[in-house]
Amino acid sequence: PPTPKPILPVQTGVKAQEEEQSSGLTIFFSLLVIGICIILVHLLIKFKLHFLPESVAVVSLGILMGGFIKIIEFQELANWKEEEMFRPNMFFLLILPPIIFESGYSLHKGNFFQNIGSITLFAVIGTAISAFIVGGGIYFLGQVRHAAANIFAFGSLISAVDPVATIAIFNALNVDPVLNMLVFGESILNDAVSIVLTNTAEGFFSSSDNSMVTGWETFIQALGYFLKMFFGSAALGTLTGLISALFLKHFDLRKTPSLEFGMMIIFAYIPYGLAEGIKLSGIMSILFAGIVMSHYTHHNLSPITQILMQQTLRTVAFMCETCVFAFLGLSIFSFPHKFEISFVIWCIFLVLLGRAINIFPLSFLLNFFRDHKITPKMMFIMWFSGLRGAIPYALSLHLGLEPIEKRQLIGTTTIIIVLFTILFLGGGTMPLIRIMDIEESQSRRKNKKDVNLSKTQKMGNTIDTEHLSELTEEEYEAQIYQRQDLKGFMWLDAKYLNPFFTRRLTQEDLLHGRIQMKTLTNKWYEEVRQGPSGSEDDCDEAELL
Amino acid sequence: MRYIKFKVFSWFLLLFILNLCVSEGQDKANSWDLHKRDENRQETKDENPDQSKQTNRETAENTEKHSLSKSNETSENYSNETLHTTAAVAKPTTPAPPTPKPILPVQTGVKAQEEEQSSGLTIFFSLLVIGICIILVHLLIKFKLHFLPESVAVVSLGILMGGFIKIIEFQELANWKEEEMFRPNMFFLLILPPIIFESGYSLHKGNFFQNIGSITLFAVIGTAISAFIVGGGIYFLGQADVIYKMTMADSFAFGSLISAVDPVATIAIFNALNVDPVLNMLVFGESILNDAVSIVLTNTAEGFFSSSDNSMVTGWETFIQALGYFLKMFFGSAALGTLTGLISALFLKHFDLRKTPSLEFGMMIIFAYIPYGLAEGIKLSGIMSILFAGIVMSHYTHHNLSPITQILMQQTLRTVAFMCETCVFAFLGLSIFSFPHKFEISFVIWCIFLVLLGRAINIFPLSFLLNFFRDHKITPKMMFIMWFSGLRGAIPYALSLHLGLEPIEKRQLIGTTTIIIVLFTILFLGGGTMPLIRIMDIEESQSRRKNKKDVNLSKTQKMGNTIDTEHLSELTEEEYEAQIYQRQDLKGFMWLDAKYLNPFFTRRLTQEDLLHGRIQMKTLTNKWYEEVRQGPSGSEDDCDEAELL
């Protein structure tokens, strides 16, 4: 019969129950994995195993669990196949946004903006270079006869240095804050670049499949598309951040922390949804929203919401990161592999080569303009620490390749490269830095903190404020153009923007904030003193926050 | 899982075949689907490869997409399914190609982008709606419009927005149809758990457990009575040709789902008022527990009646079986939740995560959500288990946390629950325009009548019965309020969308009727409760005690607060005399709790711990203070400053 319109877009009856059951199991499985990883991280911190980065440990645990599940499955005891799959959609919609927003929110803005020139150069030009070298290399080696579009898409996606993996490694070490910021900043921005490049390669090449003649025109077009994406997303994010600052300045939600915190969550997530909706880069816009919100909006919040925001963000970002690493480890067993040793080896070689041609010439070039030079040692570390993470893998699953074998091949190669970089490069960075003795005086200053701070807490902490201001002086002389710009913006910021976007705290506000915090502390203290047996009232007691 | 995948595939093929044979009736197609599927596969193998490659790929992708939508991506469900169906409609002449195994259950290329774009818009739209609702709630609090409950305001706003969107769509300016749909899967997996967990976590346990007997009676027996009255009424009215004719199974499933009094709506109304805490607890406790009862009853009705469609003779046996199923669900879920809660307490007692709040808080989130996933996974009631996990965790685990995580946990839970509630109400309001309606005035009126009658026969006799055992009697006034405040919420609506009714008209009819009943109860009963209580003058001395707090506390903050602790302990004394059996039990448990359980599950705080906690809080306060004193211009360092928590 002419089927009625599917107006009720839901499963019904038994099917709905089965679906819910399957979702339930998936959730249970994911939570179990994250829980085990949290215990692992806790043990790492407790036993001070600082030589092992958290990411490496979690990935290894994921691989172990994957193997274990495989054995269970092999003996037909249970089938978790569907639960352990890594879902790119979930990743892009739920897991990535908190991670990126958190890195924007807890970014050391001074350090970031002082190095913005170098970072942008590495992120945009460097990633493009790397993408072209990997793509071109594979194309000319012709190991597998792919279409040019697919090759370049692969080259772009594999060029994304992952912020999650990089942060995890660098925070376990104590390195020069400038080096840290360069690598971290590059890795944050080049995700967006890589996503945009991949989409461009896919979109443009596949749409104009036969008209490859007008290569130059395509290039210009792609560049335009890229610039639109880049600046459009950044503008969208910045705008949302500014609106949130104005909103929270003028709507006094400070007495109702639930509403305030809810509003913050909405403002944090809305640029991502909107940007994806209008075909911009969600990751770029959420990053900029994070930066702007921590600069302006944060100061319009009540103290309890400020603490809440930071802690919750950190926790959620930590859980998402853990989830990503664990599922990367798991995926090695769950993914249907098609392994071609020569392809993999060539790819790894090309990836390393691409990063070398990205880092060394660009650093050399930048050293003409920087006062705080990038030393050859730093260059080497930067080259070595080009870790790939979940973004290439998720992108590779998204890639629309024609025969299923090709998709499998690309997927397998991506997984191997990602795991190779995380396990070998990531695991090797520490000894390398030890050998090269990059860590200087600041390592001594830090070591005492190391014990009781988890990695997620250290984020942003490793970048030393004192050291930074010193650098500012150094750079002050050199980069005249950039300094002018920065100075100009900072002046503008202090003079007009900050007063406009943030709330002037009156003495009364201060008092109120102090009282609020004091009340909280006292409540807790009283409650605890009553002992756990008097525990029935505790829920009510924190109600007055 | 493989079975499900197979099911998906077969479902796809079924739709496919339905398109192929336009002349065949639906039930016939159903019957020969099984044989036909094999044939179809044969055909596709023999099929010449001269079909366009394009079609092949599209169909393959559709299958893949479908398996994806089945597996987990609840948010994608709608778009996938529509696409899927339209694809099937569009190409009725091309048989399914030998699809390769959908091993990579993901969208690729341009489709992936489109999907992401659509999800992005959905997220944007939902957030926008919630944002507007938050502003509305803020304005309500600010201008002290206490006569208007938040839920009524938000639902009305939702209806307004729905109408506005309808106008926009009518003028073809934009199409938000997909975005404004209420998704039952999303609701059950993402929105409901935080609400229920929060109500468990911030429950006043003393009050709850003192009235547990009455609450359970209302929740279980009362809901069953109501379900039977509504279901039976509809069935017999249908048989008498007064209203739309429905089968036994369908009418009882509908009766069960419509009998769930919604905690969200009820709390929202009752907290705006100042009522007797016992009355509050009775209504609230009943509404929390009877969600689970209603879900279980609906599933039972659906599952049992439809599986043993013809063997209706053994009615008594079916009843016993259903009862067993129900008891298994009820106690199994409760046990699962309690167990998870106890494990979490032991875990956080022995693993000292107090110095790393991120890990601690993360662990709490995991422990809060894991019973839901597990219970749904092993076919128990997730909502029951998460409720019990919440109760146990607030009783034991909460005390093993560091002070900052305690505060974090309460505030975050409250915020998330508040947002979820708002979301539910707003989308209920929106759904009145987005749902394809089939309106039958007589059916709706009879249903409303039966619902009210069912609740009356639930409340009045049971209260009368209970009054023999209770010392703190349920007065006729209270009974009347309890009857009147039987608000229905999102759970009936979500359940009604899930219901597998055969012709699409029946689903539409049930959906429409449910929406109307839900909106009717929220807007009229909910909006009318306040004046009613005013008239009946139930509010006593405690209203005076509260009023000063009212101004600066939002509804979500008031939750759990309205139940007065002082008043409570007094009640305990009263009830002490009366319910001997129950008191014994409770007393016994409380004694056990204080003597053995609490020391076992919670951490003894040493003086050092106390000091540490105080210092932690002090440091936080000082950090904030210093930061603020520096002024916003010195703001670059602030992110680092709170890092040391």
Side-chain angles (χ1 to χ4, degrees), chain A residues 277-317:
Chain A
I278 59 175
K279 293 203 174 180
L280 291 176
S281 159
I283 193 171
M284 277 291 291
S285 59
I286 205 171
L287 173 69
F288 275 82
I291 293 174
V292 173
M293 281 169 84
S294 79
H295 194 61
Y296 297 119
T297 319
H298 192 69
H299 302 286
N300 294 339
L301 301 174
S302 62
I304 180 67
T305 311
Q306 290 186 359
I307 295 166
L308 214 61
M309 191 73 195
Q310 278 167 340
Q311 286 294 319
T312 310
L313 266 183
R314 192 143 304 140
T315 307
V316 173

Side-chain angles (χ1 to χ4, degrees), chain B residues 1 11 48 133 153 170-171 194 219 226 295 307 320 358 365 396 437 618:
Chain B
M1 291 314 123
W11 201 58
N48 284 330
C133 292
F170 198 68
Q171 302 189 332
S226 168
I295 291 175
S307 67
I320 295 288
S358 309
I365 294 176
Y396 297 119
H437 290 293
K618 199 110 192 162

Side-chain angles (χ1 to χ4, degrees), chain A residues 132-282:
Chain A
F132 273 101
I133 288 190
V134 177
I138 295 173
Y139 186 69
F140 287 116
L141 283 170
Q143 278 287 334
V144 187
R145 293 238 61 98
H146 292 300
N150 294 332
I151 300 269
F152 278 104
F154 177 67
S156 323
L157 71 88
I158 207 72
S159 299
V161 176
D162 196 54
V164 184
T166 315
I167 296 167
I169 298 286
F170 268 63
N171 277 312
L173 311 168
N174 301 310
V175 290
D176 184 353
V178 171
L179 173 58
N180 191 338
M181 188 41 91
L182 282 179
V183 175
F184 173 66
E186 183 208 340
S187 65
I188 278 195
L189 287 186
N190 82 357
D191 279 337
V193 176
S194 162
I195 291 175
V196 171
L197 276 181
T198 309
N199 288 350
T200 313
E202 252 196 311
F204 269 95
F205 284 99
S206 64
S207 67
S208 57
D209 230 347
N210 305 322
S211 61
M212 278 295 289
V213 218
T214 57
W216 188 246
E217 218 163 79
T218 312
F219 176 74
I220 295 289
Q221 233 176 331
L223 192 72
Y225 176 66
F226 173 76
L227 288 179
K228 198 192 82 189
M229 286 282 262
F230 200 84
F231 288 105
S233 311
L236 182 69
T238 311
L239 203 69
T240 320
L242 293 181
I243 291 174
S244 78
L246 279 184
F247 178 86
L248 285 161
K249 185 185 175 189
H250 293 296
F251 278 76
D252 186 6
L253 298 177
R254 284 185 295 285
K255 277 168 188 152
T256 47
S258 308
L259 296 187
E260 203 178 17
F261 189 42
M263 224 50 216
M264 278 301 273
I265 295 176
I266 287 173
F267 272 119
Y269 204 15
I270 222 168
Y272 194 85
L274 187 58
E276 290 288 322
I278 59 175
K279 293 203 174 180
L280 291 176
S281 159

Side-chain angles (χ1 to χ4, degrees), chain A residues 9 13 299 311 398 514 538 545, chain B residues 78 109 399 411 498 625 638 645:
Chain A
H299 302 286
Q311 286 294 319
H398 258 191
R514 267 199 105 84
D538 49 8
L545 316 182
Chain B
Y78 175 54
H399 303 284
Q411 285 295 320
H498 258 192
Y625 193 65
D638 51 6
L645 317 179

Side-chain angles (χ1 to χ4, degrees), chain B residues 34-328:
Chain B
L34 276 170
H35 318 279
K36 194 69 186 176
R37 187 175 48 231
D38 294 333
E39 280 176 44
N40 205 6
R41 264 197 186 146
Q42 280 309 118
E43 275 172 35
T44 52
K45 267 177 198 160
D46 300 342
E47 193 72 32
N48 284 330
D50 62 354
Q51 306 173 315
S52 67
K53 210 176 177 187
Q54 178 73 19
T55 332
N56 257 339
R57 197 174 135 218
E58 262 180 51
T59 330
E61 271 173 15
N62 269 323
T63 322
E64 279 176 32
K65 178 193 285 184
H66 201 82
S67 73
L68 165 75
S69 86
K70 273 296 276 194
S71 47
N72 193 25
E73 292 282 349
T74 46
S75 58
E76 315 307 327
N77 232 5
Y78 175 54
S79 55
N80 280 343
E81 229 143 294
T82 344
L83 259 171
H84 153 81
T85 321
T86 42
V89 172
K91 309 185 295 290
T93 44
T94 35
T99 45
K101 257 201 306 174
I103 12 178
L104 295 160
V106 284
Q107 300 296 310
T108 56
V110 183
K111 280 226 181 66
Q113 278 180 38
E114 265 166 23
E115 205 181 311
E116 247 176 55
Q117 194 189 343
S118 141
S119 313
L121 276 183
T122 310
I123 290 171
F124 174 69
F125 183 76
S126 314
L127 291 178
L128 204 66
V129 170
I130 300 176
I132 294 173
C133 292
I134 289 183
I135 297 174
L136 181 77
V137 170
H138 170 68
L139 293 179
L140 279 186
I141 294 173
K142 198 174 171 188
F143 294 113
K144 297 173 191 166
L145 302 173
H146 288 305
F147 64 90
L148 190 67
E150 281 176 26
S151 55
V152 175
V154 172
V155 168
S156 314
L157 185 72
I159 294 176
L160 273 185
M161 284 200 288
F164 185 65
I165 287 169
K166 206 76 185 174
I167 291 168
I168 290 180
E169 262 166 27
F170 198 68
Q171 302 189 332
E172 309 242 333
L173 291 174
N175 192 346
W176 294 86
K177 195 143 243 142
E178 217 160 286
E179 279 75 24
E180 62 180 293
M181 269 316 270
F182 182 85
R183 283 162 231 279
N185 269 316
M186 280 285 269
F187 174 73
F188 279 113
L189 283 177
L190 292 181
I191 295 182
L192 197 55
I195 299 179
I196 300 295
F197 185 79
E198 209 267 349
S199 52
Y201 203 80
S202 65
L203 187 73
H204 194 290
K205 283 163 293 296
N207 221 346
F208 181 75
F209 283 111
Q210 261 135 38
N211 294 307
I212 186 91
S214 318
I215 289 171
T216 315
L217 193 74
F218 280 123
V220 180
I221 311 291
T223 307
I225 291 176
S226 168
F228 273 101
I229 288 186
V230 177
I234 288 174
Y235 180 68
F236 287 114
L237 284 173
Q239 292 298 314
D241 267 342
V242 180
I243 54 172
Y244 191 87
K245 199 172 269 180
M246 300 239 286
T247 63
M248 192 98 171
D250 291 345
S251 31
F252 277 106
F254 177 66
S256 319
L257 72 87
I258 206 71
S259 299
V261 176
D262 196 54
V264 185
T266 314
I267 297 167
I269 298 286
F270 269 63
N271 278 311
L273 311 167
N274 301 310
V275 291
D276 185 354
V278 172
L279 174 57
N280 191 337
M281 187 42 91
L282 282 178
V283 175
F284 173 66
E286 184 209 340
S287 64
I288 275 195
L289 288 186
N290 82 357
D291 279 335
V293 176
S294 163
I295 291 175
V296 170
L297 276 180
T298 309
N299 289 349
T300 313
E302 250 194 305
F304 270 93
F305 283 98
S306 63
S307 67
S308 59
D309 228 348
N310 305 323
S311 60
M312 278 297 288
V313 218
T314 57
W316 187 246
E317 218 164 77
T318 311
F319 175 74
I320 295 288
Q321 233 176 330
L323 190 71
Y325 174 66
F326 172 75
L327 287 179
K328 198 193 82 189

